[in-house]
Amino acid sequence: MTNANRHLQPLLHDLVGVVLAPTSTLSAPDGQIRPAGVQGVFHADARVLARAELLVDGREPEAISHHTDGPHGARFVSLIRWLGDPTPDPTVRIDRIRRMTPRGLVEEIHVASTATAPVQAEITLDLGCDLAPIEVVKSGGATTDLEPKSGEPGQLTWSADGTTVVVTGEDATVVDGFARLSWPVRLAPRTSTVLRWRLLVDDPRAVVVTPPAEPAWSRPEVRADDRRLTRLLDRSLNDLRGLRLAETAAPHDVFLGAGVPWFLTLFGRDSLWAARMMLPLGTDLAASTLRVLARRQGTRIDPDSGEAPGKIMHELRRHEFTVVGDGLRLPAAYYGTVDATMLWVSLLHDAWRWGLAEDQVTDLLPHLEAALRWLAEHADADGDGFVEYVDTSGRGLANQGWKDSFDSVRFRDGSLAQAPIALAEVQGYAYQAATNGAALLNAFGRPGADRWLDYADTLAQRFRSRFWVDGPDGPHPALALDRDKRPVDALTSNIGHLLGTGLLTPAESAQVAEALATPGLAGGYGLRTMSARDGGFSPLSYHCGSIWSHDTAIVIAGLAREGFTAPAAELAEGLLSAAEAFDYRLPELFGGDDRATVGRPVPYPAACQPQAWAATAAVALLQAAVGLYPDVPAGTVRLRPLAGAPLGAVDAQRLRIAGTPVDVQVDRTGAATVTGLPAGLTLVREQ
């Protein structure tokens, strides 16, 4: 059954993204921005340019290539074969070089001729602006172009709701009656010219801005036998540079925006995980992310927004986020996340262990105590001893773990679980937050540590008795408990997040590692979100069979940390193969098709790219390979690289512990050396 009138989310898998947050551009591979789908220039939750089509004598150039041009740029190469010499070789070409700037972009149009005779043409740029909210674009809603106003020569202006967009063409003229810039071009034989235009946005209501300083994290120099790792890391760090954001009122506290185009703002869970995976490059990003979220920590009970005292928020927008067709209406500051509060606690702990200065930790301890109070007083609404969620507003997210689509929590037979839902990995996060919180309270002379150690011990026993199920591939933790406290028995990637939390015994960790290595989960280019043997599986389901880059990286990190080299290496190989197929820009997610069936991963057509926690997956892979695990307060650094060096030799220079550059070399046998450790730290080698 079909509905021809339903709104469809536009596809973007084949578009080219360029970003300097909070501004980004999505264009076709030929560089054209056409008035269709999600193409356009976006700034802080609004599409500020919906069209930028370049024509030569009224015709489109013929595109032949595109590639990145620095961290915030792209180059598009096209031919003008109807001009120039009448030979098989093209003699007139256009290089369209686009670079994002704070609050806009600049574009150079290089027109070059190697023809033997003069070339003459009119080059035009057709423009359009609708200032459509991102949620309208995302839901495929209708938009209407605004009328431009002409100002200075070569300038067009659009305004609505306090936002002003100005496009200026250097030495261009505005064609009367059209939103069109025009340049006459005359080239002598073997000459070239450069045309320029720029976009500038004035948006005083934006809640996020471009940070004023350069990235604070280290940019390591990495050599590896597997060149895919170095290429992925290089591309990812460029993308992360472009995803940096700050709040308007606190421009020096940097966090990572979740992803282009839908989520280029503050997302609690995404920003926390991304900062956590970036810790091998320094603690500054973690510290500023913690401060940003602490300033917005919940203080009251609000069922509409999901706010509660001590709770860490989920999402920040300039206004209510309403998605047409599915009843989703999220307040501008939305707290509908079950896990961000616990992840905040563990990021503070992990940053402390990587060497975050004690005064910065001390400043955040009141927020730590508030987060733990939320865990004690608000996270377990029905008192069964597990952390669960339910959307009581009817307008928020039905599922509030990282798999937050409405149909993500399914039984093995494919039927949907009903809320309240207690997710498996959330219990692991709660256990880890309790033990990490206790460590911080003890270290800084705060009361309450024993209470949280008791909480963790009780939770582990309760989890052991209620969550484990027997599946076709053997015993494993259930995905969740449903409202009737029945185990939701699907085999999913969620269980991999339990590794390294401390919730599992060594024997249970081994069983989880074995389940993760089954073909149903590990048979694609990474870790499937749901086993292919389960009834709800679909390779292009958002959360029930697709592969998420960050999810795979988190599980690789957990496997590596606990010494399960073989499954970690298999998943790493899949993820690196996917990175190669996607030109080393890992998308948010991609299809979970079997590697034996498809020669390359199938794109998920609405996936964000670049995306923060997908990009930080490269750093997680690097850390797993070199096996560096510091505990600065305890004065130790554990060294546990992947046994046998399945990724080959890796030489990583300028990792950072306690602000000090540290180098790690792993040879082809897996033997590792570390140089440059800060004074007072002892290296502990582990097998």
Side-chain angles (χ1 to χ4, degrees), residues 325-337:
D326 65 3
L328 193 67
R329 282 176 40 209
L330 307 183
Y334 180 57
Y335 288 76
T337 169

Side-chain angles (χ1 to χ4, degrees), residues 347-356 358 361 439-440 443-444 632-633:
L347 176 60
L348 177 61
H349 171 270
D350 289 1
W352 172 58
R353 292 186 65 163
W354 276 90
L356 180 63
E358 286 196 2
V361 179
L440 286 164
F444 287 85
V632 172

Side-chain angles (χ1 to χ4, degrees), residues 392-417:
T392 58
S393 73
R395 300 183 297 275
L397 293 170
N399 283 310
Q400 298 185 358
W402 84 259
K403 293 179 180 178
D404 57 5
S405 55
F406 77 97
D407 61 350
S408 62
V409 184
R410 293 175 176 267
F411 289 85
R412 188 184 304 153
D413 64 7
S415 59
L416 294 179

Side-chain angles (χ1 to χ4, degrees), residues 215-236:
W217 57 74
S218 169
R219 180 140 190 161
E221 181 180 339
V222 177
R223 294 185 294 274
D225 285 349
D226 193 330
R227 300 291 182 86
R228 296 173 300 176
L229 179 60
T230 57
R231 290 167 182 159
L232 173 61
L233 185 67
D234 185 64
R235 180 75 185 268
S236 297

Side-chain angles (χ1 to χ4, degrees), residues 5 78 152 177 229 232 264 286 293 353 409 447 524 573 575 671 686:
N5 296 319
S78 301
E152 299 178 9
L229 179 60
L232 173 61
L264 201 51
L293 290 167
R353 292 186 65 163
V409 184
E573 169 59 30
L575 198 59
E686 297 186 354

Side-chain angles (χ1 to χ4, degrees), residues 1-8 140:
M1 184 175 181
T2 62
N3 182 353
N5 296 319
R6 70 178 177 180
H7 293 280
L8 296 175

Side-chain angles (χ1 to χ4, degrees), residues 512-558:
V512 167
E514 186 176 345
L516 293 168
T518 57
L521 280 179
Y525 289 87
L527 185 67
R528 293 186 177 111
T529 43
M530 177 175 283
S531 172
R533 299 186 66 178
D534 282 8
F537 173 81
S538 169
L540 286 177
S541 165
Y542 196 53
H543 287 130
C544 297
S546 60
I547 293 170
W548 284 64
S549 302
H550 88 283
D551 184 37
T552 300
I554 289 169
V555 174
I556 291 170

